[in-house]
Amino acid sequence: MKLIYTNENRFLVYNIQNIIENARITTTLKNEYASSAAGDLVPHETWLELWVVDNADYDLAKAAIDSAFKQANESGWDCPQCSERNTASFDVCWQCQAERPD
Ligand SMILES: [Zn+2]
């Protein structure tokens, strides 16, 4: 198993999971139910984590994310903070969580 993506914002993690699973790669989530216990934990430890089950799929999963972002080029947007390309469906940058510019 290999960690491919984690973020404080669960919505973004689910978005990335959709992209990867659409490429028929099996993923699993960690900390999916951790938020109920967040009071006792350091916030970072409760971030939802997306793992690729088979290490051999890791590069494919990365490629799937890349191509999904490339396909979104027409309607996507560039993060003003870190210059990462985001798909149109994201309201905050998937990488640094800066808000989408108007
Ligand atoms: Zn960014």
Side-chain angles (χ1 to χ4, degrees):
M1 290 233 302
K2 214 166 169 181
L3 177 67
I4 190 159
Y5 185 69
T6 185
N7 198 291
E8 191 174 19
N9 184 334
R10 292 171 170 246
F11 174 73
L12 298 182
V13 180
Y14 288 125
N15 252 326
I16 300 293
Q17 183 184 34
N18 277 339
I19 290 168
I20 296 173
E21 298 225 318
N22 282 342
R24 300 175 187 277
I25 293 166
T26 307
T27 61
T28 189
L29 293 166
K30 287 191 182 178
N31 295 337
E32 194 167 12
Y33 305 107
S35 57
S36 58
D40 296 329
L41 297 169
V42 178
H44 183 75
E45 290 177 28
T46 65
W47 282 23
L48 187 59
E49 295 179 349
L50 179 63
W51 292 71
V52 173
V53 172
D54 186 342
N55 287 0
D57 285 337
Y58 184 82
D59 288 342
L60 263 180
K62 278 279 186 200
I65 294 171
D66 282 350
S67 82
F69 277 76
K70 269 178 200 141
Q71 278 170 24
N73 254 6
E74 294 286 308
S75 54
W77 52 281
D78 290 317
C79 176
Q81 190 162 294
C82 72
S83 303
E84 188 70 26
R85 190 76 188 172
N86 286 278
T87 65
S89 63
F90 286 15
D91 289 327
V92 296
C93 174
W94 77 294
Q95 181 143 287
C96 74
Q97 296 187 79
E99 289 203 18
R100 178 182 189 159
D102 294 326

